[in-house]
């Protein structure tokens, strides 16, 4: 079925009537077709081109990792006093992006935001790929990658010692690996019914076997659905605090220390807000073009985009609030090094990074106060790119400015990233987009079952009257 | 989730959604009882040295203020998120938010203390600490003088109450207008202004918590403190709402329109904010404990010595673990009797929380935890006035926004 | 659903009815339940609300499984951290107790969530009897749309109420039904094909081999050299202390004589490293070899006269002979001379025990050889407060924190312990010293005082000297030394 142009302006509010979440007069079958078409139709040439580009960048990434492993971490710019350079910046950046998907599926689910159904699958996939990118950096920065397992509490005959559980870096290992695991199974659980749909539709025998195995023999039995829905609710209830905990623990990496500019109690919620902000920024960056390319205007309506913009505005403002609190307390606390750290951030040698951060993170989302900006796809795409840039710089500013100018003026120094640093930053995008393009090609990018359950009823039921009687009345508590 | 259920309840603007006459008795008991208890507290306080009275009064004041601040936050958030489920209980929240006016009046004693230069409550209000010639000169306090001085403190208090009263009155009065004219446009207008209201609330509540709680120890600072205070506000607000709805329904008001589904949702929020409070409290504690920097740790050290450690442990369990397991079950949240019981428990623990922030500063942090007649008089004195004013605001007003366009959606709420 | 498979005829095992819309299905479910059927199920493309009640599906016990596993996860997290960090491998780090609960919360939390999430996922699959790849329903062609847009209701023939014709009639009578379908048993055999069975056994056996190899490797030793696929910092071109650099695995030693570094050629000054010796030592040299004497040569002209003090152990190391000299900027050889710090300065002070024969005083610089401005004094004050004031006190009275603490300790803890307080800089002995001598003391230390030559650059040391002079002036100065204008100012302030 061809894309129906937006006949309804879904962004107009009519209190008392909820805007339909799917437009274009779809029924259940046409939703299935609309989504499966992406996997079943001939792959557009644009996909091959993008894939080739992404895969080459990924190749470069792997080559650089090989070079790093063979040569040692000296190929990076990390050095005294900035021991934590690009690797941690990239790590925190990607983990932050990896917050949107699970947040959409868990927290928006808990808040009964049904519009999430159109974008959650997509965002969850993005989450997982972002976490993959994130996980690589701490893994390779340890230098001797082959002893990575020392981080885990495995009884080891050679070491006869155990990890230090009082270290926030070890909490990170647990938090990120738990988050990755739970996100994957949450995502996969959500996909089982859709994979069954693909299984039942495909003619390709190989794909059929693959989809059959992946969908585990799902039939859509009501008894299974009952447990499935309970499981989904439980997942949401577990993933919501988990998603908060991950960036909280990432913020502990910095905040438990005493480095000026790092030790601030607002770091946990501030990092979480920033993570959600960057995650939604990336959702928008990917969603606007994908919606256009695959003609998903009926499922991902303008209202959906507008909602994402509003979340960006809210979380961007929360980040702004945190910046303001940090500055106020840096003065109010009366600690001179702390005060210096913040003045140095804004006016020191890295002032440019600071102003990129503030203008991208705090100022650019303020455009979303205007409805015009919330409903113009190209504009929100541009702003979302700014958000991505700004959030990368936020991590850069926090990591580098504080280390470059800490307590002892004698140990001050600048950070000089190397070509390998830049190459790895770019290369991680290659990994991200390669995985993402593969998913778009072979996976169900919209949660069909969930969309079907919240879309306007497409049918006139022959039993309408009887049904009404069978309805259990809502009884007062 | 499906719109399978058509609304089966209608709300008419009749007595069933107005306060019963019995509440007026409560109002007068609250009013006279409250005033006399506060007088008693003053007498007892003056006899036993004023310091304890001041701190105790501040604790109770902040306690009731936080409940109303929760409402001042909830109402704009309800509009901002175009919430459907909460329409039926929104009027009650609006009425609760009106009580910031009451709290503004009750703030006068604290205001007067600061303006008259008394420094038993706020240590920093001692000119000897700012002037460099004095032997008590305190460099940190002097450094904060541009912020912590009586004049600016007074100006800020005016701003805070101004913002809160403006938010509370605006949303309430427009909502009452809608009751009579049923204008859908009102909903849209309120939604538009709600975003600004939330921003205004965020900053005013943060700085109010800095001024009235954090500056009790002028050396201590914590960037998360505003969020911590907010978590307590929201938690106590949802607990208080639950108890209020329960009491109203017990007396036959709103009994047909507030269903177990609404209790379920209130219970979810109570549960959620219990977690959120624990998260924020733990974040603050962990970071300060771990970094162990003298200027920060002192605050917690004071709260872990002299017997305050027991209060801390009581908070960890009472404000988190016990209610966490208590309200975790869906069956509890759907039973208004059990849920209200937990809400009362949470409200008590919220008092302990505020008490734990304020009272260790008595006598410069050397006093052990005590709880006596003065505290009781302050709680029930301010509480009595709070309740009586609440009833006064609610008298003759419909307790449900009867013409809200989303009311039918709220009535048909069904949790899956 | 499948029971036994004893015959070749496909056996009917169930009945399926199809609907186009979910409401009709819900009504049908309700009717079926009311008719007393229990072995029923519905198949829908998305979860239908109200179907649990309509079919009489009981709430799942999944939450209890999750709660149990969550609690187990949290306990495991706690015990893991307690046993490993407080029992098996106890150590103190960043002054935290071995068992520090606040620091253990994050991992406890993560493990709780991880276990709960596994419980949700595997519990849900287990309760739903998934994965189940073979299902007779998959043989029904119409059923493919159960995951698309059709809604089905099924009854098992083993249901007590099931009557072949009556049930079918009832199904056909449902409003909105679009087809009633018989479901037959899957005719394919139940047993695993033999090939798959053997492949499985082989794989299982093969899977045991790697762990066995690993196990045996862990429990045996080998004389074979380690394989170094990655260098792993095992092979490095460097000489460790007390060792010679030797040939190793085909790499030559750094120098044939086993050294890793060449000594400096005596009497040379590296290009650009020459500094006026007066500035570096505070001594005006008397001989012509001004430029050479400051080098840390291996065989220096030991008898150079301007040496201020003879090291008591001058004999044990020829290289240690010249404490008075300052190496240019940060030349390395200086580090090799441990004797520098202590001996020194055989002034007639009471501290130095083995009083060496009195030496002729070197030719001290009388006045600070750098330009003195108010900036210099400020710089000096700044450095003095950082480096000197801990012992000498901010006013130079020898009452710095270290000294005060020492006396405190003597009072409280170890009465009778001796403590010689740092020199009061306002004593005549110090006041009368030439600037060069004070500089020398700062550079090399005196008695217990350590030398600060390698921490403070020469200019700053001179700045400290000027500040010390300024401090002394505060005691020795007279009103007439104050410029008239300043005097006026002070008078105006009433002092």
């Amino acid at each position: 079925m061809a894309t129906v142009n937006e006949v309804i302006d879904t962004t107009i509010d009519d209190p008392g009537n909820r805007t339909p979440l799917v437009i274009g007069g779809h029924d259940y079958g046409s939703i299935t077709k609309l989504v499966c078409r992406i996997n079943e139709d001939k792959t557009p040439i644009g996909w091959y081109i993008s894939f080739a580009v992404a895969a080459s960048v990924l190749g470069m990434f792997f080559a650089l990792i090989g070079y790093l492993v063979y040569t040692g971490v000296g190929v990076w710019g990390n050095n005294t006093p900035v021991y934590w350079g690009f690797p941690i910046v990239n790590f925190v950046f990607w983990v932050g992006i990896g917050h949107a998907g699970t947040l959409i599926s868990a927290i928006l689910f808990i808040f009964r935001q049904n519009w999430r159904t159109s974008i959650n699958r997509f965002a969850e996939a993005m989450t997982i790929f972002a976490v993959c990118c994130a996980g690589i950096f701490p893994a390779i920065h340890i230098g001797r990658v082959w002893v990575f397992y020392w981080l885990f509490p495995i009884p080891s005959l050679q070491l006869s010692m155990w990890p230090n559980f009082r270290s926030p870096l070890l909490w990170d290992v647990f938090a990120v690996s738990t988050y990755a695991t739970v996100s994957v199974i949450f995502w996969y659980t959500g996909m089982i019914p859709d994979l069954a749909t693909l299984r039942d539709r495909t003619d390709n025998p190989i794909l059929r076997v693959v989809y059959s195995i992946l969908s585990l023999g799902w039939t859509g039995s009501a008894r299974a659905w009952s447990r499935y829905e309970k499981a989904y609710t439980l997942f949401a209830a577990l993933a919501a605090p988990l998603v908060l905990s991950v960036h909280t623990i990432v913020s502990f990496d910095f905040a438990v220390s005493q480095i000026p500019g790092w030790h601030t109690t607002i770091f946990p919620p501030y990092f979480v807000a920033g993570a959600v902000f960057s995650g939604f920024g990336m959702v928008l960056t990917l969603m606007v073009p994908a919606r256009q390319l695959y003609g998903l205007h009926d499922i991902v309506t303008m209202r959906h985009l507008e909602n994402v913009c509003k979340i960006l505005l809210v979380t961007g403002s929360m980040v702004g609030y945190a910046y303001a609190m940090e500055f106020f307390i840096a003065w109010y606390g009366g600690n001179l090094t702390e005060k210096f750290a913040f003045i140095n951030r804004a006016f020191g040698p890295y002032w440019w990074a600071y102003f990129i951060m503030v203008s991208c993170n705090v100022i650019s989302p303020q455009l979303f106060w205007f409805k015009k900006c919330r409903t113009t796809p190209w504009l929100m795409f541009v702003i979302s790119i700014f958000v991505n840039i700004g959030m990368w710089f936020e991590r850069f500013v926090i990591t580098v400015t504080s280390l470059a100018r800490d307590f002892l003026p004698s140990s001050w120094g600048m950070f000089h990233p190397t070509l390998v640093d830049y190459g790895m930053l770019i290369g991680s995008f290659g990994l991200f987009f390669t995985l993402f393009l593969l998913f778009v090609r072979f996976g169900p990018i919209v949660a069909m079952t969930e969309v079907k359950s919240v879309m306007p009823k497409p049918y006139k039921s022959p039993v309408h009257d009887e049904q009404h009687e069978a309805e259990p009345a809502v009884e007062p508590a | 989730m499906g719109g399978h259920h058509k609304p089966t309840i209608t709300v008419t603007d009749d007595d069933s959604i107005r306060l019963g006459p019995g509440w007026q008795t409560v109002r007068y008991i609250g009013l006279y009882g409250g005033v006399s208890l506060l007088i008693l507290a003053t007498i007892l306080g003056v006899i036993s040295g004023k310091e304890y009275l001041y701190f105790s009064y501040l604790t109770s004041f902040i306690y009731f203020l936080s409940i109303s601040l929760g409402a001042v936050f909830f109402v704009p958030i309800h509009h901002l998120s175009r919430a459907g489920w909460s329409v039926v209980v929104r009027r009650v929240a609006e009425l609760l938010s009106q009580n910031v006016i009451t709290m503004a009046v009750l703030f006068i004693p604290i205001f007067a203390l600061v303006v008259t230069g008394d420094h038993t409550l706020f240590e920093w209000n001692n000119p000897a600490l700012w002037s460099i010639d004095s032997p008590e000169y305190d460099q940190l306090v002097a450094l904060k003088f541009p912020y912590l001085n009586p004049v600016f403190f007074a100006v800020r208090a005016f701003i805070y109450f101004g913002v809160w009263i403006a938010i509370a009155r605006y949303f309430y009065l427009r909502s009452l207008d809608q009751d009579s004219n049923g204008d859908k446009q009102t909903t849209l207008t309120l939604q538009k202004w709600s975003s600004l209201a939330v921003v205004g609330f965020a900053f005013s509540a943060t700085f109010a918590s800095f001024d009235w709680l954090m500056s009790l120890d002028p050396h201590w600072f914590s960037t998360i403190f505003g969020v911590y205070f907010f978590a307590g506000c929201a938690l106590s607000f949802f607990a208080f709402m639950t108890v209020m709805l329960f009491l109203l329904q017990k007396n036959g008001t709103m009994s047909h329109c507030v269903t177990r589904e609404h209790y379920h949702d209130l219970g979810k929020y109570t549960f959620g904010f219990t977690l959120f409070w624990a998260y924020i409290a733990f974040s603050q504690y962990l970071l300060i404990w771990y970094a162990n920097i003298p200027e920060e740790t002192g605050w917690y050290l004071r709260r872990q010595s002299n017997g305050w450690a027991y209060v801390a442990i009581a908070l960890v369990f009472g404000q988190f673990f016990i209610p966490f397991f208590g309200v975790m079950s869906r069956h509890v949240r759907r039973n208004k009797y059990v849920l209200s019981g937990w809400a009362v428990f949470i409200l008590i623990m919220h008092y302990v929380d505020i008490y734990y922030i304020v009272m260790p500063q008595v006598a410069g942090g050397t006093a052990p935890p005590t709880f006596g007649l003065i505290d009781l008089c302050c709680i029930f004195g301010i509480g009595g006035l709070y309740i009586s004013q609440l009833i006064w605001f609610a008298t003759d007003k419909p307790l449900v926004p009867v013409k809200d366009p989303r009311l039918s959606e709220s009535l048909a709420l069904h949790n899956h | 659903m499948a029971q036994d498979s004893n015959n070749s005829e496909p056996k009917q095992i169930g009945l399926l009815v199809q609907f186009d819309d979910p409401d009709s299905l819900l009504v049908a479910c309700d009717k079926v339940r009311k008719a007393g059927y229990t072995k029923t199920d519905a198949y829908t493309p998305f979860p239908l609300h109200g179907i649990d009640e309509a079919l009489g599906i009981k709430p799942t016990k999944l939450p209890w499984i999750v709660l149990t596993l969550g609690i187990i996860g949290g306990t495991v997290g706690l015990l893991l951290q307690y046993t490993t960090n407080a029992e098996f491998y106890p150590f103190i780090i960043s002054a935290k107790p071995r068992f520090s609960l606040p620091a253990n919360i994050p991992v406890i939390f993560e493990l709780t969530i991880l276990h709960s999430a596994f419980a949700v996922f595997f519990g849900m699959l287990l309760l739903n009897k998934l994965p189940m790849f073979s299902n007779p329903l998959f043989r029904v062609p119409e059923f493919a749309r159960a995951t698309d847009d059709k809604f089905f209701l099924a009854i098992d023939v083993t249901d007590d109420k099931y009557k072949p014709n009556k049930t079918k009639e009832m199904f056909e009578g449902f409003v909105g039904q679009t087809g009633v379908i018989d479901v037959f048993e899957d005719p394919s055999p139940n047993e695993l094909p033999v090939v798959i069975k053997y492949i499985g056994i082989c794989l299982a056996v093969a899977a045991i081999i790697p762990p066995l190899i690993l196990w045996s490797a862990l429990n045996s030793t080998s004389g074979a050299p380690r394989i170094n696929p990655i260098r792993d910092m095992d092979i490095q071109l460097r000489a460790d202390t007390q060792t010679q650099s030797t040939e190793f695995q085909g790499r030559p030693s750094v120098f044939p004589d086993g050294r890793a570094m060449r000594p400096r050629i005596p009497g040379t000054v590296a290009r650009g490293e020459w500094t006026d010796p007066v500035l570096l030592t505070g001594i005006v040299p008397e001989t012509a070899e001004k430029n050479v004497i400051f080098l840390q040569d291996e065989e220096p002209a030991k008898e150079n006269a301007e040496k201020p003090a003879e090291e008591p152990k001058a004999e044990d190391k020829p290289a240690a002979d010249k404490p008075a000299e300052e190496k240019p900027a940060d030349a390395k050889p200086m580090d090799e001379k441990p004797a520098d710090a202590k001996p020194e300065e055989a002034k007639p002070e009471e501290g130095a025990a083995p009083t060496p024969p009195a030496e002729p005083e070197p030719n001290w610089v009388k006045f600070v050889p750098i330009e003195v401005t108010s900036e210099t004094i400020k710089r000096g004050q700044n450095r003095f407060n950082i480096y000197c004031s801990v012992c000498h006190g901010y006013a130079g009275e020898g009452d710095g924190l270290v000294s005060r603490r020492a006396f405190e300790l003597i009072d409280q803890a170890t009465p009778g312990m001796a403590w010689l307080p740092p020199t009061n800089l306002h004593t005549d002995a110090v006041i009368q010293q030439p600037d060069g001598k004070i500089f020398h003391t700062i550079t090399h230390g005196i008695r217990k005082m350590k030398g600060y030559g390698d921490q403070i650059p020469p200019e700053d040391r001179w700045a400290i000297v000027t500040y010390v002079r300024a401090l002394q002036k505060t005691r020795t100065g007279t009103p007439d030394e104050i410029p008239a204008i300043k005097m006026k100012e002070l008078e105006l302030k009433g002092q």
Side-chain angles (χ1 to χ4, degrees), chain A residues 74-318:
Chain A
V75 300
W76 279 333
N78 302 15
N79 213 332
T80 321
V82 184
Y83 299 101
W84 277 5
F86 270 31
I88 190 116
V89 175
N90 296 342
F91 162 70
V92 182
F93 172 71
W94 280 116
V95 167
I97 286 179
H99 274 56
T102 310
L103 185 110
I104 290 175
S105 343
I107 294 185
L108 294 187
F109 174 84
I110 289 171
F111 283 117
R112 288 197 293 257
Q113 299 294 308
N114 286 339
W115 59 273
R116 82 181 192 286
T117 55
S118 301
I119 57 170
N120 63 356
R121 174 66 42 73
F122 187 86
E124 279 177 71
M126 184 206 82
T127 285
I128 286 155
F129 305 144
V131 174
C132 290
C133 294
I136 284 187
F137 285 98
I140 56 178
H141 104 291
I142 57 175
R144 294 191 289 160
V145 182
W146 46 98
V147 293
F148 183 70
Y149 64 94
W150 286 4
L151 287 168
F152 295 99
I154 302 164
S156 161
L157 294 174
Q158 296 98 324
L159 285 174
S160 36
M161 57 183 187
W162 295 86
N164 170 22
F165 282 104
R166 285 154 290 182
S167 160
L169 299 180
L170 191 69
W171 307 342
D172 241 3
V173 172
F174 276 79
V176 174
S177 49
T178 300
Y179 183 61
T181 315
V182 174
S183 295
V184 168
I185 56 178
F186 191 14
W187 177 59
Y188 176 62
T189 306
M191 266 198 309
I192 292 175
D194 289 337
L195 288 168
T197 307
L198 287 174
R199 169 198 70 198
D200 290 343
R201 286 174 60 87
T202 186
D203 298 325
N204 181 330
I206 299 170
L207 278 181
R208 192 181 166 84
V209 170
V210 173
Y211 286 136
S212 294
I213 292 171
L214 288 177
S215 61
L216 304 176
W218 180 260
T219 55
S221 141
R223 291 170 198 280
W225 272 124
S226 172
R227 298 185 191 103
Y228 177 90
E229 286 224 284
K230 193 54 160 184
Y232 202 87
T233 312
L234 288 168
F235 261 133
L238 292 170
L242 176 66
V243 80
L244 295 188
S245 81
V246 176
H247 230 57
T248 296
I249 289 173
V250 170
S251 81
F252 287 165
D253 290 351
F254 298 92
V256 296
S257 74
Q258 299 170 344
I259 304 278
W262 284 8
H263 178 68
T264 311
T265 48
I266 201 158
F267 255 37
Y270 154 44
F271 264 51
V272 171
V276 175
F277 180 60
S278 67
F280 273 86
M282 191 57 103
V283 166
L284 210 51
T285 310
L286 296 176
M287 199 162 68
V288 170
R291 169 180 184 263
Q292 192 65 36
L293 289 176
Y294 290 110
L296 292 172
H297 298 73
D298 292 347
I299 296 179
V300 183
T301 66
M302 193 51 83
R303 180 63 165 250
H304 291 86
L305 297 183
E306 196 192 359
N307 283 342
V308 174
C309 292
K310 284 181 180 169
I311 291 182
L312 275 180
L313 175 57
V314 170
T315 47
S317 304
M318 283 182 189

Side-chain angles (χ1 to χ4, degrees), chain C residues 15-29:
Chain C
L15 196 60
L16 208 54
V17 55
Q18 176 184 294
F19 299 91
D20 282 355
D21 70 281
D23 289 346
S24 306
L25 172 74
L26 281 174
V27 175
C29 289

Side-chain angles (χ1 to χ4, degrees), chain C residues 152-407:
Chain C
F152 295 88
L153 174 61
I155 286 182
D156 199 302
V157 289
T158 55
D159 194 291
D160 294 339
K161 291 267 177 177
Y162 183 80
K163 301 269 161 30
N165 293 326
K166 243 183 96 189
T167 309
K168 198 160 192 170
E169 242 166 55
M170 179 173 120
F171 272 29
E172 277 161 356
F174 284 146
V175 183
Q177 63 94 354
T178 52
V180 179
I181 309 141
D182 292 327
V183 184
F184 295 101
E185 195 183 45
D186 189 345
S188 49
N190 270 344
E191 291 84 36
L192 271 181
V194 184
V195 188
I196 293 185
K197 200 185 273 176
Y198 286 119
I199 290 178
I201 292 169
C202 291
L203 283 179
V205 170
I208 304 172
I209 296 172
L212 282 180
I213 293 175
L214 208 64
W215 177 253
S216 80
L218 282 172
N219 290 294
S220 59
T221 50
S222 159
R226 181 173 167 181
I227 305 165
N228 277 291
I230 296 170
R231 279 178 283 176
D232 203 10
M233 289 192 258
D234 280 354
I235 308 156
Q236 296 183 29
L237 250 185
R238 62 145 203 246
D240 292 325
T241 42
Q242 311 294 332
T243 61
Q244 293 190 326
S245 81
T246 49
E247 286 185 29
F248 181 65
Q249 292 197 355
R251 291 167 190 274
S253 66
V254 181
F255 290 108
D257 61 358
R259 294 194 193 211
M261 202 183 266
R262 305 308 292 170
R264 203 170 199 166
I265 297 168
T268 53
V269 177
R271 198 173 272 274
E273 288 191 4
W274 187 85
T275 317
D276 182 2
V278 174
L279 196 65
L280 293 176
T281 60
I283 300 167
V284 180
E286 286 160 355
T287 69
E289 335 167 11
K290 288 182 176 187
N291 299 349
V292 180
I293 56 168
F294 312 105
L295 299 174
Q296 307 286 316
D297 296 345
E298 301 253 342
E299 47 272 27
K302 186 174 192 278
E303 61 295 337
N304 271 342
E306 70 272 73
K307 283 276 52 302
E310 311 340 289
E311 290 73 349
K313 334 174 195 150
E315 69 284 354
D316 55 32
K317 210 182 177 200
D321 55 352
K322 284 215 177 77
E325 74 213 352
E326 170 57 42
K327 78 278 166 139
D330 50 349
K332 274 161 212 130
M334 185 70 168
D335 303 337
E336 291 158 18
K337 305 198 337 172
D340 269 8
K342 183 176 315 160
E344 210 51 73
E345 200 52 68
K347 280 268 33 185
E349 311 271 350
E350 58 287 295
T355 315
E359 275 306 308
E361 279 283 309
N363 187 9
W364 298 116
V365 173
K366 293 284 177 303
F367 297 105
V368 175
I370 58 171
E371 195 192 350
V372 176
T373 62
S374 62
E375 289 303 310
T376 319
I377 300 181
K378 276 188 191 137
R379 177 72 183 166
Q381 178 182 29
N382 175 277
R383 297 294 103 178
F384 181 89
N385 289 347
I386 290 174
Y387 292 105
C388 317
S389 66
V390 280
C391 291
H392 289 285
Y394 283 102
E397 288 174 322
D399 60 346
L401 281 175
V402 171
S403 182
R404 278 192 270 161
R405 177 69 179 150
F407 281 120

